[in-house]
Amino acid sequence: MSVTKSDVIAALERINLPDGRSMIAHDLMRALTIEGSVVRFVIEAPSADVARSMGPLRDAAEKVVSELAGVTQATVALTAHGPAAKPAAPPSLKIGGHPKPQDGPTKPSGVKRILAIGSGKGGVGKSTVSSNLAVALVKQGRKVGLLDADIYGPSQPRMMGVNKRPASPDGKTIIPLQAHGVTMMSIGLMMEEGKAVVWRGPMLMGALQQMLGQVEWGELDVLLVDLPPGTGDVQLTLCTKSDLTGAIVVSTPQDVALIDARKALDMFATLKTPVLGLIENMSMFVCPDCGSEHQIFGQGGVAAEAKKMGVPLLGTLPIDLETRIAGDGGTPIAVGDGPMAQAYARIAEGLIKGGMA
């Protein structure tokens, strides 16, 4: 049985560098040749200094290949690329840290509008609304980006069904992912799953600045930013350091949620960010057996608040089991054509007609 190139690569995938990534992931192998049972290749270090410390790596690579079935001899040479360091492998760039100075509010090149989607408290379905609204806008022909700025609790990777780490061709720029027609980025894609983000304010601000300025968003009609709940550092940074078109506030109808939603509205007013409208989520529950409607969280609270504030009520969304199942499964309900998809389509249509998306 003769050895193949795939066999050699698979064996070298088991050779890890100190950072835990394989030598194949680091793109260190060059000039692989297979002549019968003899395998030869080169390990190319990024610099002469690095090459001098990679003797054990060469020996391990030679050993693991020589143990393959069909291999009688494995010869590995070690060389250096040159004095210039190779670009950082994706996505080894550091996320977080103190923000860099900037002259004023900025907007990523090619992005026409930035809409912040916020709430005064957690648990009102803001992230679900964000992901479904992004998909609904795509279905109406818009080019849409989705930035998950909920640093402490990023949920968009799960809701959009992506778990691949974004690439970074030069160690500086970040290539976002695509899901359901949406260009998306989340801090959750850059961190180990289940690992807590323990950062102070400056690091949060730096991470948000990176995800706005270093991500290659491309040409977008609108970038939706899914904010964390509350009125903290991320909101302050976004409103003062980026050229926001405006904000949308999501709330459930009950008084407790509205108390916190008013704080979010006041924050946007203080930061001179236009509030484009409110969305009432979990407005009612429709019994799947008898069709009766139940206002579990009260009725009309968000509509009344919108009227009081003089801003549009962009839409009302019932509490829906299928929406939750779809989000957990990584395919937002707006992808389909059912009643909930139509509800999101109506909100998306209103945003487009109003020039907001």
Side-chain angles (χ1 to χ4, degrees):
M1 179 178 177
S2 59
V3 69
T4 66
K5 180 179 179 180
S6 297
D7 295 331
V8 175
I9 291 174
L12 295 177
E13 284 279 9
R14 304 198 300 270
I15 305 296
N16 290 334
L17 274 70
D19 66 357
R21 298 173 64 236
S22 73
M23 60 171 287
I24 296 298
H26 278 281
D27 191 27
L28 298 178
M29 185 185 71
R30 299 287 185 273
L32 172 63
T33 62
I34 300 175
E35 298 175 358
S37 62
V38 178
V39 178
R40 297 184 179 89
F41 61 91
V42 174
I43 294 177
E44 185 182 74
S47 70
D49 288 338
V50 174
R52 280 190 283 271
S53 67
M54 294 180 70
L57 177 71
R58 177 194 56 199
D59 295 341
E62 198 168 77
K63 182 176 185 296
V64 75
V65 173
S66 66
E67 291 174 349
L68 289 173
V71 175
T72 60
Q73 180 183 346
T75 303
V76 183
L78 181 60
T79 186
H81 178 68
K86 294 181 69 176
S92 60
L93 74 171
K94 183 179 179 181
I95 295 293
H98 287 264
K100 294 178 173 58
Q102 58 185 64
D103 294 333
T106 63
K107 184 163 56 180
S109 176
V111 176
K112 295 179 181 177
R113 308 169 187 85
I114 303 177
L115 299 185
I117 301 182
S119 65
K121 68 189 301 294
V124 299
K126 168 187 51 59
S127 294
T128 298
V129 170
S130 299
S131 58
N132 281 283
L133 187 54
V135 171
L137 286 165
V138 166
K139 290 176 69 176
Q140 299 203 26
R142 312 309 279 175
K143 295 177 182 178
V144 183
L146 176 61
L147 171 56
D148 184 359
D150 192 347
I151 306 295
Y152 290 129
S155 54
Q156 293 301 345
R158 170 63 64 87
M159 291 185 172
M160 296 295 285
V162 294
N163 54 21
K164 181 181 176 182
R165 296 191 72 174
S168 176
D170 58 2
K172 296 178 182 178
T173 57
I174 305 169
I175 307 301
L177 302 184
Q178 298 287 326
H180 311 294
V182 178
T183 301
M184 71 156 295
M185 180 61 197
S186 170
I187 191 69
L189 298 170
M190 307 296 287
M191 308 295 290
E192 181 181 342
E193 186 175 1
K195 187 176 180 62
V197 177
V198 186
W199 287 351
R200 295 185 184 276
M203 294 187 70
L204 298 175
M205 296 161 69
L208 181 60
Q209 187 182 58
Q210 283 181 280
M211 289 193 289
L212 282 170
Q214 291 181 222
V215 172
E216 294 287 346
W217 288 107
E219 298 292 325
L220 296 179
D221 293 307
V222 60
L223 173 62
L224 302 182
V225 182
D226 179 17
L227 290 173
T231 56
D233 290 311
V234 172
Q235 290 86 341
L236 178 63
T237 301
L238 184 70
C239 292
T240 58
K241 299 297 184 181
S242 65
D243 187 7
L244 270 183
T245 303
I248 296 171
V249 175
V250 179
S251 179
T252 49
Q254 79 268 36
D255 290 341
V256 171
L258 284 167
I259 290 171
D260 291 318
R262 293 184 189 106
K263 294 176 183 176
L265 291 165
D266 181 67
M267 174 196 69
F268 288 126
T270 300
L271 297 174
K272 296 180 173 54
T273 298
V275 175
L276 305 179
L278 276 64
I279 293 176
E280 182 174 275
N281 197 27
M282 308 182 197
S283 61
M284 70 180 72
F285 171 71
V286 179
C287 177
D289 298 322
C290 65
S292 61
E293 296 183 359
H294 305 272
Q295 281 76 33
I296 299 175
F297 297 110
Q299 185 176 14
V302 178
E305 191 65 27
K307 183 177 180 181
K308 177 182 175 182
M309 295 288 299
V311 298
L313 176 66
L314 299 174
T316 59
L317 299 164
I319 187 170
D320 177 67
L321 176 61
E322 294 302 319
T323 300
R324 194 274 300 168
I325 294 173
D328 284 349
T331 303
I333 197 76
V335 171
D337 298 311
M340 287 302 297
Q342 294 170 16
Y344 279 105
R346 287 190 291 271
I347 297 176
E349 183 179 3
L351 291 174
I352 294 171
K353 285 184 177 179
M356 294 174 275

